[in-house]
Structure formats: C-alpha cells, structure tokens
Amino acid sequence: MAPAKPDWMTLTVVCATDRDGLSAETAFVLRDMMLAAAPLEFHFLPGSFMAFFSGDEDGLRRGELLAGDIHSRFAALGVHSLGVAVEQGPCNVTQDGQGHFTSNPTGETVERAMRGAVFGREKL
C-alpha cells in the first residue's frame, strides 16, 4: 500500500506555551484542558501544546473558547508568562484511512499560531 500523501485542509489551530518554560504542573493542566476540549488532534511539541479543531465556524468558536479558558485559568493563578494563540487557515497534513493525523500539521497557519503564543500579537 502506498503511503498517504499530505493534503491541505482548513483547520483551527490553538497553540499554548509558557515563555518561561513549561513546568510539569503547567504541562499537566494544559494537557488536561486541551483534551477536555475534544480537539480533532492534540500534539505536544517541546515547550508547547497544540490542539487542532475543524476549520469551520464551530471549530473556530471552540478554539477561541479553549484559548480564553486557558488564559483565564492561568491569569487567576498568577501565571503571566503563558502565551496562547488561535489561528484558522490552510494546513498541510497527512491522514490515515480513519481521518487521524499521521503527521503534525504544518504551514503558515501553524507558524502564525506558534509565533502568536510565543511573542504575542503585538509583535507579529
């Protein structure tokens, strides 16, 4: 069987990272919050978490809700070094026959979400 080829699809990308480095406690809370939001896929990258939702209006709403919840929870805890960003647009991704991602989505949309989480909107 031939390997699956990457394809472009519209996704909502939520990226969260602690600019001072993720502690184990922060990582566990972020992981639990992202998984509770039931994204299509969830990935841990060194120092950050990414959740992927559908690229429609509902996916954007869910991604923005998750980002707001993350921001509120960590602000209440006094953690101000956590960056969260939401972007929606085309992503290059490979899927298996059941629709699960077999590669991390890539592309400008993912890059914008990562930069937004790390640097904040004002520096983009």
Side-chain angles (χ1 to χ4, degrees):
M1 178 165 47
K5 292 196 295 189
D7 198 11
W8 289 95
M9 64 187 301
T10 301
L11 293 172
T12 300
V13 181
V14 179
C15 181
T17 189
D18 190 330
R19 296 176 190 115
D20 291 340
L22 280 174
S23 69
E25 180 179 300
T26 300
F28 287 130
V29 171
L30 278 174
R31 179 202 63 196
D32 292 347
M33 290 181 79
M34 287 197 164
L35 290 175
L40 295 173
E41 293 282 335
F42 165 81
H43 295 271
F44 172 73
L45 303 170
S48 62
F49 287 91
M50 298 192 86
F52 301 93
F53 295 91
S54 62
D56 58 13
E57 189 175 308
D58 182 60
L60 182 59
R61 181 190 59 77
R62 291 174 59 210
E64 289 174 340
L65 181 63
L66 172 61
D69 288 348
I70 290 170
H71 178 75
S72 296
R73 175 127 184 225
F74 283 91
L77 295 172
V79 178
H80 301 290
S81 58
L82 192 77
V84 183
V86 179
E87 292 288 339
Q88 187 177 67
C91 297
N92 193 359
V93 64
T94 305
Q95 296 176 294
D96 64 17
Q98 288 80 38
H100 298 273
F101 298 174
T102 59
S103 66
N104 287 338
T106 61
E108 188 177 322
T109 303
V110 174
E111 183 180 328
R112 282 193 323 263
M114 293 175 81
R115 282 191 322 224
V118 172
F119 299 112
R121 295 278 172 234
E122 65 281 355
K123 297 182 182 178
L124 295 181

